[in-house]
Amino acid sequence: MLNVKKYVKENLTFILFIVLMFSFRSSVADWYHVPSGSMEPTIQVGDRVVVDKMAYTLDIPFTDISVANTGSVKRGDIIIIDSEAAQTRLIKRVVAVQGDNIALHDNVLHINGEKSKLTPLNEHVFREDILSSSRTIALNPIDSPASSFDNVIVPEGYVVAMGDNRNNSVDSRYYGFIPLSEIRGQATSIAFSVDKENAYLPRKERFFVALE
């Protein structure tokens, strides 16, 4: 029979390492596997993104209980969401925060009276600039019912989040405003990437790349 006390004593260093590692991943930093193309071209299928779990709150390890606020969600942040509405985890970009007046007209964002500027980069890819925030988005020629919506004001405690692949993303346009309480951290960089279409070979050019 296994002597538990003896086992723990002999393996205490290893056990402490495992507990600390999982505590770190639970409350400080983790990585997230990207399963879909809703954030292309910024994030591709097969990317593993680094998530700063202390960007906005400090949580008790292994729980969603917050003990301190560490930052505020800003326009342009790429966030990880435990979405109750979607019943899954999402990765999207914040396009509007509480108090913003936002509308979308034929894939052109309007926030607080400012119209986004779209600069073509190549086929179906544009640089979007609005309210001092800039990112690369895809506007593929897909007939999307979510390419327009009328003005709404983001309520307190919520944000509007959308995918950079605007016509191929299920986001706030379908699920509604995102509660701040469902945000689990900020995606800051790509740790590494594998190409699922090419025998899962590594994409060396996408190792340790900061996200914009």
Side-chain angles (χ1 to χ4, degrees), residues 75-76 93-105 107-116 128 130-131 135 146-155 158-163 166 171-173 176-178:
R75 300 185 201 93
R93 187 184 296 275
V94 176
V95 295
V97 296
Q98 56 187 23
D100 282 346
N101 189 326
I102 179 174
L104 187 68
H105 299 150
N107 281 317
V108 178
L109 274 175
H110 298 252
I111 303 176
N112 299 337
E114 182 173 319
K115 177 181 177 181
S116 62
E128 180 183 66
I130 185 168
L131 294 176
R135 79 281 293 192
S147 60
S148 297
F149 58 81
D150 293 330
N151 287 71
V152 293
I153 296 177
V154 185
Y158 293 83
V159 298
V160 173
M162 298 166 61
R166 289 288 167 78
D171 44 44
S172 282
R173 292 169 291 178
F177 300 117
I178 305 298

Side-chain angles (χ1 to χ4, degrees), residues 61 73 91 124 129 163:
V73 181
I91 181 167
H124 311 314
D129 294 278

Side-chain angles (χ1 to χ4, degrees), residues 33-35 44-48 192-204 207:
H33 163 64
V34 178
Q44 298 180 14
V45 176
D47 286 351
R48 267 65 169 182
F192 64 97
S193 182
V194 294
D195 190 348
K196 295 176 67 175
E197 303 299 322
N198 190 21
Y200 288 88
L201 291 175
R203 300 186 182 109
K204 295 181 180 179
F207 278 45

Side-chain angles (χ1 to χ4, degrees), residues 54-175:
M54 291 182 59
Y56 311 118
T57 62
L58 175 62
D59 296 340
I60 296 175
F62 312 114
T63 76
D64 294 330
I65 301 172
S66 174
V67 295
N69 291 323
T70 56
S72 57
V73 181
K74 301 179 293 297
R75 300 185 201 93
D77 286 358
I78 299 174
I79 58 174
I80 304 298
I81 308 157
D82 272 342
S83 173
E84 183 176 344
Q87 296 185 335
T88 189
R89 181 164 287 190
L90 306 173
I91 181 167
K92 305 293 177 184
R93 187 184 296 275
V94 176
V95 295
V97 296
Q98 56 187 23
D100 282 346
N101 189 326
I102 179 174
L104 187 68
H105 299 150
D106 293 326
N107 281 317
V108 178
L109 274 175
H110 298 252
I111 303 176
N112 299 337
E114 182 173 319
K115 177 181 177 181
S116 62
K117 177 184 178 183
L118 297 177
T119 304
L121 299 179
N122 53 54
E123 188 177 17
H124 311 314
V125 178
F126 298 81
R127 194 72 178 174
E128 180 183 66
D129 294 278
I130 185 168
L131 294 176
S132 302
S133 179
S134 181
R135 79 281 293 192
T136 303
I137 66 170
L139 292 175
N140 295 298
I142 301 171
D143 185 17
S144 171
S147 60
S148 297
F149 58 81
D150 293 330
N151 287 71
V152 293
I153 296 177
V154 185
E156 184 176 354
Y158 293 83
V159 298
V160 173
M162 298 166 61
D164 287 351
N165 193 349
R166 289 288 167 78
N167 289 333
N168 190 26
S169 173
V170 181
D171 44 44
S172 282
R173 292 169 291 178
Y174 297 86
Y175 298 128

